[in-house]
Amino acid sequence: MDAPEDITLRQKWRDHWSTRDKILRPEPSTANRLGVAFFWIVSVTTVFTSLFVYLPELETGMPYAKSVALKAMVWLIFAELVVNWGLCSMKELSRVTVRRIQRSVANAQLARDGFPYVPIEDMLPCPACQVPVPPRAHHCKLCSMCVLKRDHHCYFTASCIGFSNQRYFIVLTFYIAVGTMYGSLLITSYASSTLPHSSWFHYGRYIPVVAFVQWFTGNLSLAYFFLSVQLFTCVLSFGMAFGYFIWEVCLIVREQTSYETSKNIRLYNTRSSVGTKFREVFGPYWILNFLLPLPTLPAGVDGIQWKTYKQLKSQ
């Protein structure tokens, strides 16, 4: 009589472990919303508190020009975040379409530069969206489309990072790293001036768990608990953004995508100079993209036809 009950309990235990990951890992669409919400909440709250809380306290006795420069830096970083986030989120820029492929093949035929090109007949159709898939393109289930030179899906922009928006993503991660580092410096400077530390023990207030305990016991105000959480979020965001920035720069130098790195694919390594590799991603005036996003790319770079080192060596 105990056997059926034993099986039932075992099944309940299995069901618990099978649903555990679903609870901890949200659905992709929900993850997109959470990522975008996290980005904007952190950005807006950091800008607001920097302009109206931290800098007004820190600029006491500060020269007027320096005060204006510190506030202008906040607005500059925020403007770069807004513009580059908007360009990153335009996932249609890297969508694979038949018309785009036909235009690329026609341009390759007119070029007559001796380099072989991939005709549309040789591109296998995608099982999901039924469009021809050019080299280095992959289908994204979250975006429901094939993406040119797909690198990865970014939940903070709710879009795939690929051929047309990789440069904007790199600039975005750069300014996220700069902005969160700047925000962390303002937060720590504000905390040091308004809440002096008489011993090393007081530095534990920067840890959210410690700050929560001190707030719960009445030893710390709610405002400083928020300050601790904001500092932790800035430090965490800086680590993620700086890590992604370095990773994407390494991918440019290696002429790979994240997928190609995981599969150890080096087919499209042309062994060209570092400057040429950056110009193929950012355009001819690549350094200016860190001040003003530019849509230009070198001639012949369309995200569909890719040259290899063997082809360049044979010419």
Side-chain angles (χ1 to χ4, degrees), residues 45-255:
T45 54
T46 303
V47 170
F48 181 84
T49 52
S50 297
L51 290 173
F52 302 106
V53 179
Y54 306 140
L55 283 176
E57 174 68 26
L58 297 174
E59 68 184 2
T60 304
M62 183 184 299
Y64 178 75
K66 185 177 180 180
S67 174
V68 172
L70 292 177
K71 291 180 179 178
M73 187 175 179
V74 175
W75 284 115
L76 173 63
I77 294 173
F78 185 62
E80 291 287 349
L81 291 179
V82 172
V83 173
N84 286 282
W85 185 93
L87 293 171
C88 271
S89 63
M90 299 172 63
K91 56 185 179 182
E92 295 293 329
L93 294 176
S94 298
R95 177 190 284 270
V96 178
T97 61
V98 176
R99 184 177 180 180
R100 196 169 188 171
I101 297 174
Q102 291 174 341
R103 185 169 60 248
S104 172
V105 172
N107 292 335
Q109 291 174 341
L110 292 174
R112 299 181 183 277
D113 53 8
F115 288 100
Y117 61 91
V118 181
I120 191 171
E121 295 81 10
D122 293 347
M123 300 180 186
L124 297 177
C126 173
C129 54
Q130 299 302 315
V131 297
V133 182
R136 312 186 80 177
H138 298 281
H139 186 83
C140 177
K141 295 181 180 179
L142 280 71
C143 297
S144 300
M145 67 180 189
C146 285
V147 181
L148 293 173
K149 193 191 174 186
R150 184 179 184 274
D151 187 78
H152 69 282
H153 184 89
C154 177
Y155 290 101
F156 299 106
T157 60
S159 63
C160 268
I161 306 303
F163 170 73
S164 298
N165 61 354
Q166 182 185 15
R167 47 189 161 166
Y168 306 130
F169 177 76
I170 295 174
V171 177
L172 177 66
T173 56
F174 173 79
Y175 278 104
I176 291 176
V178 173
T180 50
M181 181 176 62
Y182 183 43
S184 300
L185 292 175
L186 291 179
I187 293 172
T188 53
S189 300
Y190 174 83
S192 299
S193 62
T194 58
L195 191 65
H197 303 87
S198 58
S199 66
W200 285 101
F201 175 76
H202 290 158
Y203 283 96
R205 294 169 176 169
Y206 292 132
I207 304 174
V209 176
V210 177
F212 175 79
V213 173
Q214 292 188 358
W215 166 75
F216 188 77
T217 56
N219 296 321
L220 196 67
S221 66
L222 181 61
Y224 280 98
F225 170 64
F226 170 80
L227 183 146
S228 175
V229 173
Q230 188 180 41
L231 177 61
F232 175 80
T233 305
C234 284
V235 173
L236 179 65
S237 301
F238 170 80
M240 290 192 300
F242 186 72
Y244 264 113
F245 175 76
I246 296 298
W247 173 249
E248 291 294 328
V249 170
C250 292
L251 290 178
I252 293 177
V253 175
R254 292 173 59 88
E255 294 184 286

